[in-house]
């Protein structure tokens, strides 16, 4: 195998030394990828001789090490990169410098690449980089980090092709999505088939499914913390791709060299271009039904302004829209929905041990539906706007890393505002309301070592929310790691979470019409308590990593809707809520191989998820729609050569729990013209769809044109053309005289085998 | 909403150029069903007391309805109890079928007064109460046609202030008994003034006849019809939650309600 050219730039600046430069006691710095200067998250930084000293870079690619003897050697490890060694004596104070990369045939990271994980108290956490996700096959060639996360244990999808996440039995509304710390209220494009996170703009994603750090709050089941590319301060890069359904372009580089730099990424689908042409060519044909017009686009912007060595300003912007139009002889319907995000963060190193990050942000999600007739029109809008301010302080002591912070949010909820009437203005009516809520939180968190083998991460969060009524809650967080041996850790965690805003969604899919609704007199906040216990082992010469976690999550005041709830244009939506409880428990098994020609993982989850509501299912417990007894994912990536890599994924899951009618009657109704068949549903989610399984294959061919780098990526989705069940319905079969003769059950599948070719380039 | 979901599905299928009929018949074994009795009873002023009783059936059972012949049914109003014997003979060209009917008594025009139903089947008595809502008249009606000579009908009416009102807007092509073109359920939370209105899509051909009906429903009837629609939508809509039927006869499936409506006939739908 020819050499793989991985290069790495190590950008270090030293903030504090002792009296002489030879007696360094603290090193602080950033680690970057040499190819694009992007910050490397989760890289391991440790000392060669004083083996107990080590840490990992945070979400900003930043690390701090204390008590460094000047005669030691600093080592930087990151999976997929060459190990970098720098004598500490060469690192001088108040000096920033770059070290060129090392190139070699095969990367062999010395030491244990799982060391960081074994040494951390954090459990139930998954970090995924865009680089990893890009190696895997993708539906329609669209790399989607949320879908890649679904391949990890404890995380399930909402259905075929969906990017929705169901984490440890939690609902799709119980995930907090953060884009550089700014909440995202609808993380989906195209009704959930794609996420709003453009892979070209994203550096990595960290998902917490339990053991939540105290700085996070507001949702019961997970935190999905998305980190964008911060841009390159020294050189320009243009990334792009042309795929089956969309094209992408991202530009990265300095605006004022060394002072202001950024990244802008744009993506748009173009199916509408072809469907419009098709509609036009078939215009006037009586049997032809026009294809609706649909596209989505999004744009990410990142700017970093270096005020001085100790102060940085980060600007984050996002604009995404889905546009859907349908026109037939009766009316014209237009949907438009999307997120708009903006935020400014000020990162300040107050002194050598203290960092303060202060963020002001706005997140807005709006949905609009217009039905246009010449004499009678209506327009429905709904959405949420969240004005946020937060401040986080991190102080590193000799044996403690202490964090504290506060957060304040002001919410404006636009609940199904309907404006309708005749075009002459004689009849006008409207409906809907704007609700306002204020919430916030404060927390303290400390990570420390206790005796030789214990690592403890303890935190306490206080959260509150006010609308009509004041709610507050104390949220203890605790994670403990007991290092049984150097390669074996036993971990346990407990987390309490409160959720004060709720998603009115009764579909099980991510629809733009889903409404965010605040706590008040009704509904009350939701609460979860989760305990987890597990162990982690690195073995086979640290080539493999195994983890096994057991969890139990109890949820109180879980929200659902009355049978047949009217969520669409309802001024009294709170009357449709019902409150109950939920529980989820299970075991997760995970084996991973990060190094060598062949890498990948196997994840398996055995779980139970149930709900109970007095008003549903006669008050009996019933399985949640996403209750999945078995969930297996196998991911393999094999580098055939520096140019070719192959990848494959296989997923298997117990079929979704669904409700099917078991009885029926004929309603003749008030007119008696045409009696209709009415299904009678009895038990909720008493049936199971057939098991879901699928295999995908990907081939990446890289080449180096004169102008830069490029690759062709072939993805084959559902390679053995499995007809997975999307849903089941009962059909009335009629004879020639339009008289019903029998009823049959039909299974509908969505995606057959789909090969796609994507061209990606970097210039 | 249903139309919207259909449009979404149509789009999802068509934009990816895959067949939405990527479907096949499957065998789903269903558990035994209890054949709960089903009742439909509308109190229409000036018409006899009439009621339909039969057994609901398992989803894949024979299509033939199973009427219940030995039920004892009474309706009590202002202290008078009317017995409804088994009687299946259709009258007055009524399109509806009933199997229990009063012999001589007609439903009186007594708005907002209680009518009590008692149905005894196999020794078990089921009861319900309803009223007849006041008439809400259609104030005006006008048509609008587009370039493709398709027309829509909009009606205006006065919504009663200070009461919770529920409406149903039905349009038929040509005449009563013709195809139902539109069927909307709405409640007055939608209107912030007394001047209410509702219009449908371009469902009529220019020159075609039409009948428009505005029903003033009891809340129970509105809830029942809403649950029927939700239940029908849930079968075949992967995004829908299942919906149980909201019966106002506890222990049985069905509806017992007064029926009040105003009708307008349009000879030729044109602008």
């Amino acid at each position: 195998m020819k050499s793989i050219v991985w290069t790495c730039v190590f950008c270090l600046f030293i903030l504090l030394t002792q009296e002489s430069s030879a007696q360094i006691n603290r090193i602080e710095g950033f680690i970057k990828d040499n190819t694009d200067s992007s910050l490397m998250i989760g890289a391991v930084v440790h000392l060669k001789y004083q083996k107990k000293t080590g840490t990992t870079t945070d979400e900003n690619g930043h690390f701090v090490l204390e008590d460094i003897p000047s005669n030691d050697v600093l080592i930087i490890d990151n999976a997929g990169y060459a190990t970098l060694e720098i004598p500490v004596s060469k690192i001088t104070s108040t000096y920033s410098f770059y070290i060129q990369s090392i190139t070699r045939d095969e990367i062999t990271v010395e030491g244990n690449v799982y060391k960081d994980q074994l040494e951390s108290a954090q459990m139930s956490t998954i970090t995924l980089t865009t680089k990893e996700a890009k190696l895997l096959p993708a539906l329609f060639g669209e790399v989607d980090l949320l879908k890649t996360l679904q391949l990890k244990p404890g995380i399930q999808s909402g259905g075929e092709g969906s990017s929705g996440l169901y984490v440890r039995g939690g609902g799709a509304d119980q995930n907090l999505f953060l884009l550089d710390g700014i909440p995202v209220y609808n993380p989906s494009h195209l009704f959930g088939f794609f996420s709003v996170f453009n892979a070209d703009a994203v550096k990595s994603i960290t998902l917490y499914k339990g053991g939540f750090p105290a700085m996070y709050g507001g949702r019961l089941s997970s935190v999905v913390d998305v980190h964008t590319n911060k841009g390159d301060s020294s050189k320009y890069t243009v990334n792009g791709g042309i795929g089956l359904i969309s094209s992408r372009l991202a530009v990265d580089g300095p605006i004022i060299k060394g002072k202001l730099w950024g990244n802008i990424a744009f993506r748009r689908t173009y199916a509408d271009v072809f469907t419009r042409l098709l509609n036009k060519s078939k215009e006037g044909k009586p049997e032809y039904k026009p294809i609706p017009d649909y596209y989505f686009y999004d744009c990410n912007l990142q700017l970093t302004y270096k005020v001085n060595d100790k102060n940085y300003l980060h600007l984050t912007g996002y604009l995404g829209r889905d546009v859907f139009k349908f026109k037939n002889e009766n009316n014209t319907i237009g949907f438009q929905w999307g997120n708009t995000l903006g935020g400014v963060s000020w990162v300040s190193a107050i002194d050598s041990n203290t960092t303060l990050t202060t963020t002001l942000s706005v997140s807005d999600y709006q949905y609009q539906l217009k039905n246009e007739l010449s004499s009678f029109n209506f327009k429905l809008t709904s959405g949420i706007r969240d004005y946020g301010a937060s401040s986080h302080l991190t102080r590193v002591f000799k044996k403690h890393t202490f964090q504290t912070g506060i957060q304040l949010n002001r919410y404006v909820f636009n609940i199904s505002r309907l404006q309708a009437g005749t075009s002459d203005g004689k009849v006008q009516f409207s409906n809907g309301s704007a609700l306002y809520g204020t919430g916030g939180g404060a927390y303290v968190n400390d990570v420390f070592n206790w005796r030789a083998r214990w690592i403890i991460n303890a935190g306490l969060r206080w959260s509150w929310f006010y609308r009509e009524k004041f709610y507050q809650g104390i949220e203890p967080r605790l994670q403990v790691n007991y290092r049984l041996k150097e390669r074996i850790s036993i971990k346990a965690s407990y987390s309490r979470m409160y959720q004060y805003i709720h998603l009115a969604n009764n579909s099980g899919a991510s629809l733009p019409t889903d409404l965010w609704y605040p706590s008040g007199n009704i509904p009350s906040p939701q609460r979860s308590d989760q305990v987890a216990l597990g162990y982690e082992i690195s073995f086979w010469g640290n080539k493999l990593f195994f983890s096994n976690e057991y969890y139990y999550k109890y949820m109180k005041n879980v929200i659902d809707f009355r049978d047949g709830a009217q969520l669409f244009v309802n001024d009294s939506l709170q009357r449709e809520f019902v409150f109950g409880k939920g529980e989820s428990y299970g075991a997760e098994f995970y084996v991973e191989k990060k190094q060598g020609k062949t890498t990948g993982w196997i994840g398996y989850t055995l779980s139970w998820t149930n709900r109970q509501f007095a008003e549903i299912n006669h008050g009996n417990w019933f399985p949640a729609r996403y209750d999945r007894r078995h969930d297996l994912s196998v991911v393999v990536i094999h580098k055939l050569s520096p140019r070719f890599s192959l990848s494959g994924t296989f997923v298997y899951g117990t079929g979704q729990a669904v409700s099917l009618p078991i009885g029926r009657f004929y309603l003749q109704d008030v007119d008696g013209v045409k009696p209709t068949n009415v299904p009678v549903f009895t038990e909720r989610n008493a049936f199971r769809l057939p098991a879901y399984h699928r295999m995908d294959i990907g081939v990446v061919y890289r080449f180096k044109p004169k102008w830069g780098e490029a690759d062709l990526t072939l993805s084959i989705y559902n390679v053995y053309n499995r007809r997975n069940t999307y849903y089941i319905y009962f059909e009335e079969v009629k004879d020639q005289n339009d008289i019903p003769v029998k009823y049959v059950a039909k299974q509908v599948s969505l995606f057959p085998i789909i090969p796609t070719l994507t061209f990606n380039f970097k210039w | 909403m249903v139309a919207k979901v259909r449009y979404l599905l149509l789009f999802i299928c068509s934009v990816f150029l895959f067949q939405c009929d990527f479907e096949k018949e499957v065998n789903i074994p269903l558990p035994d069903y209890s054949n709960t009795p089903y009742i439909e009873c509308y109190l229409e002023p000036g018409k006899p007391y009439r009621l339909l009783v039969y057994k609901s059936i398992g989803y894949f059972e024979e299509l033939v309805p199973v009427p219940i012949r030995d039920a004892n049914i009474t309706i009590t109003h202002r202290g008078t109890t009317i017995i409804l014997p088994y009687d299946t003979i259709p009258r007055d060209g009524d399109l509806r079928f009933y199997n229990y009917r009063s012999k001589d008594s007609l439903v009186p025009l007594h708005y907002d007064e209680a009518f009590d139903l008692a149905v005894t089947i196999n020794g078990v008595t089921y009861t319900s109460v309803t009223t007849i809502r006041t008439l809400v008249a259609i104030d005006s009606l006008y048509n609008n046609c587009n370039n493709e000579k398709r027309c829509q009908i909009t009606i205006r009416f006065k919504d009663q202030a200070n009461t919770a009102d529920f409406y149903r807007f039905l349009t038929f092509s040509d005449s009563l008994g013709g195809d139902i073109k539109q069927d909307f359920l709405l409640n007055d939370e939608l209107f912030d003034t007394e001047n209410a209105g509702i219009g449908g899509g371009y469902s009529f051909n220019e020159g075609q006849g039409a009948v428009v009906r505005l029903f003033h429903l009891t809340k129970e009837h509105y809830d029942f019809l809403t649950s029927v629609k939700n239940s029908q939508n849930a079968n075949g809509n992967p995004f829908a939650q299942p919906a149980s039927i909201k019966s106002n006869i506890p222990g049985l499936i069905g509806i017992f309600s007064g029926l009040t409506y105003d009708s307008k006939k349009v000879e030729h739908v044109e602008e």
Side-chain angles (χ1 to χ4, degrees):
Chain A
M1 183 198 263
K2 291 186 179 179
S3 66
I4 298 169
V5 184
W6 279 112
T7 56
C8 178
V9 169
F10 173 49
C11 166
L12 253 181
F13 61 90
I14 295 172
L15 297 175
L16 187 70
T17 63
Q18 286 188 327
E19 300 89 48
S20 74
S21 61
Q23 290 295 314
I24 292 172
N25 73 345
R26 188 171 192 276
I27 299 174
E28 182 176 346
F30 292 93
I31 297 177
K32 292 183 174 182
D33 181 334
N34 187 43
T35 55
D36 57 7
S37 293
S38 55
L39 293 160
M40 290 158 65
I41 298 155
V44 180
V45 184
H46 59 103
L47 296 181
K48 192 170 188 175
Y49 304 116
Q50 190 174 299
K51 292 186 184 297
K52 285 183 179 173
T53 303
T55 186
T56 56
T57 52
D58 62 16
E59 70 274 13
N60 295 314
H62 180 252
F63 76 93
V64 179
L65 276 183
E66 302 246 355
D67 294 331
I68 312 294
S70 56
N71 58 353
D72 213 320
V73 176
L74 191 73
I75 298 177
I76 298 161
D77 282 336
N78 197 29
Y81 290 81
T83 299
L84 193 63
E85 296 190 6
I86 314 143
V88 171
S89 59
K90 290 188 178 177
I91 303 170
T92 55
S93 64
T94 60
Y95 182 63
S96 302
F97 62 97
Y98 293 85
I99 295 173
Q100 287 303 314
S101 62
I102 300 164
T103 304
R104 49 187 169 181
D105 289 347
E106 187 61 41
I107 297 162
T108 308
V109 177
E110 292 173 7
N112 186 352
V113 292
Y114 308 107
K115 189 167 178 266
D116 170 48
Q117 204 154 343
L118 291 164
E119 287 183 351
S120 166
Q122 185 67 51
M123 66 185 300
S124 311
T125 304
I126 296 160
T127 297
L128 187 71
T129 64
T130 300
K131 277 192 175 162
E132 289 172 284
K134 280 186 171 177
L135 293 171
L136 299 178
L139 176 62
F140 299 114
E142 281 294 304
V143 176
D144 192 324
L145 276 82
L146 296 191
K147 283 185 189 152
T148 310
L149 282 174
Q150 292 167 356
L151 298 170
K152 301 284 185 173
I155 302 166
Q156 293 157 8
S157 74
E160 174 86 274
S162 166
S163 64
L165 301 180
Y166 294 83
V167 181
R168 286 187 171 172
D173 60 321
Q174 295 175 354
N175 305 312
L176 174 64
F177 290 92
L178 296 170
L179 184 72
D180 288 332
I182 305 170
V184 179
Y185 285 94
N186 185 344
S188 303
H189 284 302
L190 188 53
F191 320 113
F193 284 102
F194 300 102
S195 82
V196 297
F197 305 115
N198 177 357
D200 281 349
V202 172
K203 175 71 183 168
S204 70
I205 285 187
T206 302
L207 184 145
Y208 300 90
K209 51 187 176 179
F212 302 101
M215 72 181 294
Y216 297 115
R219 301 290 186 279
L220 294 196
S221 291
S222 84
V223 177
V224 183
D225 202 359
V226 179
H227 308 280
T228 57
N229 279 328
K230 295 286 186 291
D232 192 325
S233 61
S234 57
K235 64 179 184 192
Y236 292 100
T237 314
V238 178
N239 281 292
I242 299 166
L244 180 69
I245 64 163
S246 79
S247 282
R248 301 166 278 112
L249 191 70
V251 182
D252 193 318
I255 300 166
I256 304 170
K257 213 160 190 176
K259 202 71 181 168
L260 178 66
W261 61 93
N263 172 286
I264 185 165
F266 187 78
R267 170 173 67 155
R268 191 194 189 281
T269 60
Y270 35 60
D272 57 310
V273 176
F274 303 108
T275 54
R276 270 180 218 157
L277 287 172
L278 190 65
N279 288 343
K280 199 167 183 182
S281 69
K282 305 255 181 182
E283 205 170 44
K285 293 189 177 175
E287 293 301 311
Y288 182 71
K289 289 181 180 171
I291 299 170
D293 206 9
Y294 172 83
Y295 61 91
F296 73 74
Y297 63 86
D298 51 31
C299 181
N300 288 73
L301 175 70
Q302 272 292 329
L303 287 175
T304 300
Y305 179 70
K306 182 181 175 183
V307 181
N308 54 42
D309 280 349
K310 292 187 174 180
N311 290 281
Y312 289 81
L313 285 174
H314 295 293
L315 174 81
T316 299
Y318 172 86
L319 174 71
R321 289 288 179 273
D322 285 58
V323 180
F324 178 94
K325 286 179 190 168
F326 183 79
K327 187 178 179 183
N328 67 9
E329 58 189 9
N330 290 333
N331 52 26
T332 301
I333 294 174
F335 296 97
Q336 183 169 299
W337 66 95
N339 298 283
T340 308
L341 273 70
V344 180
S345 290
W346 170 36
V347 182
S348 174
I350 294 172
D351 61 35
S352 58
N353 295 311
T354 314
T355 308
L356 178 70
T357 304
T358 304
T359 304
L360 294 174
S361 65
V362 181
S363 177
D364 182 82
Y365 170 71
Q366 296 297 331
Y367 157 74
Q368 186 183 82
L369 166 64
K370 266 184 173 176
N371 194 358
E372 296 165 356
L373 302 163
S374 59
S375 67
F376 192 89
N377 304 314
F378 75 84
K379 185 171 93 170
L380 176 77
T381 56
S382 58
I384 179 172
R385 182 169 293 171
D386 174 357
Y387 300 94
S390 65
S391 201
H392 305 280
L393 183 83
T394 305
R395 183 162 177 85
V396 180
F397 297 95
K398 196 169 183 180
K399 289 190 174 177
H400 291 259
T401 301
F402 180 78
Q403 277 187 304
T404 185
I406 54 168
Q407 183 189 334
L408 183 68
N409 295 82
R410 175 70 175 162
Y411 302 96
V412 182
F413 301 86
N414 179 8
I415 310 291
S416 291
R417 300 202 112 170
L418 175 76
Q419 290 175 306
T422 52
S423 50
D424 60 8
K426 289 181 180 169
V427 173
Q428 291 293 322
F429 55 90
S430 60
N431 187 269
S433 53
L435 304 177
Y436 300 88
T438 307
Y443 70 91
V444 288
N445 200 91
D446 190 20
V447 183
F448 59 98
N449 286 36
W450 184 58
R451 297 188 174 170
R453 293 177 180 271
W454 294 87
I455 302 155
I456 296 167
N457 183 343
L460 199 64
R461 182 181 177 87
W462 170 65
S463 61
W464 60 275
F465 187 85
Y466 177 74
R467 185 184 76 86
E468 298 175 338
K469 196 173 174 182
F470 185 79
Y471 289 104
Q472 62 175 331
I474 298 291
E475 305 177 25
R477 314 284 172 83
L478 180 68
Q479 296 184 78
V480 178
N481 178 356
Y482 177 71
R483 297 294 306 277
L484 192 64
K485 290 186 175 178
E486 192 185 339
R487 293 178 179 180
I488 303 175
S489 285
I490 298 171
K491 295 184 177 182
S493 71
Y494 165 73
S495 298
R496 169 169 284 188
M497 303 286 271
Y498 280 97
Q499 181 163 341
Y500 297 98
I501 63 172
H502 321 279
L503 190 65
N505 169 335
N506 70 349
S507 66
S510 175
L511 296 181
T513 46
D514 298 345
L515 279 172
W516 284 97
Y517 198 89
S519 293
N521 289 329
I522 302 174
S524 304
Q526 302 179 63
R527 194 188 84 191
S528 73
D529 291 276
Q530 186 182 164
V531 288
L533 179 68
Y535 58 93
E536 295 170 349
I537 305 170
S538 72
F539 60 104
W540 196 18
N542 296 320
K543 286 176 182 160
L544 289 177
F545 175 81
F546 175 75
S547 80
N548 178 203
E549 288 189 17
Y550 298 85
Y551 68 91
Y552 178 81
K553 181 159 66 179
Y554 177 77
M555 291 167 276
K556 191 182 167 190
N557 277 339
V558 173
I559 287 181
D560 207 320
F561 300 93
R562 295 179 199 287
D563 274 354
Q566 173 61 41
L567 306 187
F568 194 66
V569 190
N570 185 344
D571 230 359
S572 307
L573 195 63
Q574 70 275 11
R575 292 200 302 241
E576 307 290 353
F577 291 117
V578 293
F579 301 95
K581 51 193 176 187
E583 63 171 13
S584 181
Y585 51 93
E588 296 165 2
F589 302 84
Y590 184 67
V591 183
E592 185 179 27
K593 184 173 182 291
K594 275 188 172 177
Q595 294 175 276
K597 286 183 179 177
T598 305
T599 56
W601 68 83
I602 299 171
Y604 170 71
T605 308
L606 174 70
S607 65
W608 287 260
T609 301
N610 298 306
R611 297 282 189 270
Q612 187 187 38
F613 297 88
E615 297 84 350
I616 299 175
N617 205 40
H618 314 294
N620 299 320
W621 284 91
F622 61 91
R625 188 193 288 242
Y626 34 88
D627 171 50
R628 207 160 295 169
R629 197 71 62 247
H630 306 284
D631 191 77
L632 173 74
S633 301
V634 181
V635 175
V636 179
I637 302 162
H638 183 72
K639 285 182 182 172
L640 283 170
S641 73
R643 290 195 161 197
F644 270 110
S645 66
L646 287 176
S647 62
T649 60
F650 173 76
V651 290
Y652 173 90
T654 304
Q656 275 190 16
V658 293
S659 303
L660 293 174
I662 63 169
R664 62 185 172 81
F665 63 89
Y666 274 109
L667 173 75
Q668 69 170 344
D669 210 349
V670 295
D671 52 81
V673 174
K674 199 174 185 181
T676 53
N677 181 55
V678 183
V680 178
F681 290 85
T682 53
E683 281 187 76
R684 177 70 69 96
N685 295 342
F687 293 86
R688 290 277 172 180
L689 295 181
Y692 181 97
H693 55 89
R694 192 190 80 234
M695 181 183 278
D696 308 331
I697 287 178
V699 182
V700 180
Y701 173 68
R702 298 182 187 82
F703 51 101
K704 279 209 155 196
K706 286 179 184 174
W707 44 265
E709 296 170 26
D711 70 63
L712 276 172
T713 301
L714 172 70
S715 282
I716 304 174
Y717 182 88
N718 193 7
V719 72
Y720 55 83
N721 199 22
R722 158 84 176 170
R723 289 189 174 196
N724 283 304
T725 308
Y726 191 59
Y727 66 96
I728 283 175
Y729 71 99
F730 294 163
E731 188 181 60
E732 193 176 59
V733 180
K734 294 178 178 175
D735 65 10
Q736 294 167 339
N737 301 317
D738 208 27
I739 306 292
V741 290
K742 65 171 183 174
Y743 286 86
V744 294
K746 289 213 164 170
Q747 165 194 304
V748 178
S749 306
L750 207 55
F751 297 130
I753 180 171
I754 304 173
T756 47
L757 194 62
T758 310
F759 173 70
N760 301 301
F761 61 89
K762 185 174 178 181
W763 174 63
Chain B
M1 190 65 185
V2 184
K4 196 170 57 171
V5 170
R6 283 186 185 143
Y7 293 142
L8 301 187
L9 285 173
L10 174 63
F11 168 74
I12 291 166
C13 297
S14 53
V15 79
F16 296 142
L17 306 176
F18 298 119
Q19 298 295 313
C20 232
D21 61 2
F22 199 66
E23 61 183 35
K24 64 177 181 184
E25 201 172 311
V26 288
N27 181 35
I28 305 282
L30 294 178
D32 290 340
Y33 178 65
S34 60
N35 300 108
T36 310
Y38 170 72
I39 288 180
E40 247 182 289
C41 181
Y42 307 109
L43 302 177
E44 211 170 333
K47 300 277 174 71
Y49 291 93
R50 302 168 294 186
L51 190 137
L52 173 67
V53 190
Y54 67 94
K55 286 181 180 174
S56 62
I57 53 176
Y59 214 99
F60 296 129
E61 280 185 44
E62 290 284 325
L63 297 179
V64 183
V66 184
I68 296 173
R69 299 167 191 272
D70 53 356
N72 292 316
I73 296 165
T74 60
I75 292 177
T76 305
H77 175 61
R78 287 190 177 178
T80 304
T81 297
I82 296 126
I83 298 169
L84 281 66
Y86 189 74
D87 177 357
T88 58
I89 301 164
R91 293 181 194 139
D92 303 331
D94 197 338
L95 293 167
R96 290 165 287 187
F97 174 81
Y98 297 101
N99 54 358
Y100 289 84
R101 174 185 325 253
S102 59
K103 281 189 173 170
D104 306 310
S105 306
L106 302 179
V107 177
L109 184 64
H110 294 160
Y111 291 132
D112 296 328
E113 290 189 26
F115 290 81
D116 294 274
L117 171 73
V119 178
T120 305
I121 301 170
N122 295 333
V124 182
T125 301
Y126 307 90
T127 60
S128 182
V129 183
T130 193
T131 59
I132 299 170
R133 300 306 313 271
T134 53
L135 181 77
V136 174
I138 297 170
D139 284 348
S140 57
L141 176 150
Y142 63 98
N143 315 316
N144 180 267
C145 300
N146 63 17
N147 296 335
E148 286 142 15
K149 298 195 172 179
R150 299 283 292 173
C151 302
Q152 62 158 160
I153 298 174
T154 301
I155 61 163
R156 292 181 197 140
F157 59 95
K158 287 275 189 298
D159 175 51
Q160 298 175 7
N162 305 320
T163 56
D165 295 292
F166 302 88
Y167 301 102
R168 186 179 186 185
F169 174 59
L170 269 177
T171 59
F172 302 83
S173 62
D174 301 315
S175 61
L176 287 174
D179 286 345
I180 294 175
K181 290 290 187 181
Q182 278 134 6
D183 185 357
F184 297 145
L185 288 166
L186 57 154
N187 67 56
D188 66 357
E189 288 184 359
L190 200 63
F191 312 118
D192 50 5
T193 70
E194 289 184 16
N195 293 319
I198 185 77
Y202 289 95
S203 306
F204 297 92
N205 292 320
E206 197 172 67
Q208 185 180 8
V211 174
V212 176
R213 269 191 176 176
L214 178 69
F215 292 82
H216 189 199
L217 302 177
T218 59
K219 182 177 186 310
E220 296 75 29
H221 196 181
Y222 174 85
D223 288 343
F224 173 76
L225 289 172
T226 305
S227 69
V228 163
K229 286 197 171 189
N230 287 330
S231 182
Q232 289 172 327
N233 291 342
N235 178 34
N237 178 356
F239 302 138
Q241 283 277 28
S244 55
I245 300 299
K246 288 184 181 171
S247 166
N248 73 334
I249 311 166
L252 303 179
I253 303 172
I255 181 66
F256 171 55
S257 177
L259 202 62
T260 322
Y261 55 85
D262 189 23
S263 289
K264 292 264 187 234
K265 187 168 172 60
V266 183
E267 293 298 337
H268 304 288
V269 183
E270 55 196 6
E271 204 154 337

